Amino acid sequence: MRLSSLADYAVVLMAAAARHCGGAGRLNATLLAEETGVPLPTAQKLVSRLAAAGLIESARGTGGGFRLSRPPAAISLADIVEAVEGPIALTTCVETGHHDCAIEGNCRVKPHLNVVNNAVRGALAGVTLATLATAPAAREEVIA
């Protein structure tokens, strides 16, 4: 399992926005693109998606820009990934609705996949934007 580039970039942008949290004024996609190295068109596209998902609040015009819609500790990695990718679903059979799976009628794993999917989503939900925005603690390398 791997995050798409867009989801990865969204996490990078949101972490940068969280580091600015509490500062005066609003942020803009240009500032975050320059700070993170995310291409500006991609940053603009992601700001739009993150705003549509309610993770950031944006305002147009003079003094416009955006800010986080809630504190970084109240935004999870799962929130960001789902804003870009949609609901977290490791396989199609954990999604609601009809599935076109050739072995669905005989699959003995399907009843367990929700447990796996929920574990992955829970792990992503357990990591907050506040954690992602802080520098990792300096660790001493252990030489074995």
Side-chain angles (χ1 to χ4, degrees):
M1 187 176 104
R2 177 177 288 185
L3 292 179
S4 71
S5 295
L6 278 181
D8 184 26
Y9 290 161
V11 172
V12 169
L13 290 174
M14 290 290 286
R19 286 191 293 275
H20 289 278
C21 194
R26 293 182 178 265
L27 300 168
N28 62 56
T30 303
L31 171 75
L32 290 185
E34 290 172 359
E35 182 177 319
T36 62
V38 172
L40 181 57
T42 303
Q44 292 168 326
K45 177 180 183 176
L46 287 170
V47 164
S48 177
R49 285 191 187 183
L50 295 165
L55 297 179
I56 60 176
E57 298 170 342
S58 62
R60 293 183 170 236
T62 305
F66 66 87
R67 64 179 181 196
L68 298 177
S69 63
R70 47 191 198 257
I75 298 173
S76 73
L77 182 53
D79 295 331
I80 300 167
V81 170
E82 289 180 331
V84 175
E85 301 289 338
I88 295 167
L90 295 180
T91 64
T92 57
C93 55
V94 298
E95 296 175 334
T96 56
H98 178 70
H99 312 111
D100 289 331
C101 177
I103 64 168
E104 186 171 13
N106 296 321
C107 183
R108 294 181 182 212
V109 176
K110 180 181 175 179
H112 305 284
L113 289 177
N114 276 327
V115 173
V116 175
N117 198 76
N118 291 341
V120 170
R121 191 187 186 293
L124 294 175
V127 178
T128 68
L129 187 54
T131 300
L132 296 173
T134 59
R139 296 183 184 139
E140 293 182 15
E141 291 185 19
V142 177
I143 300 175

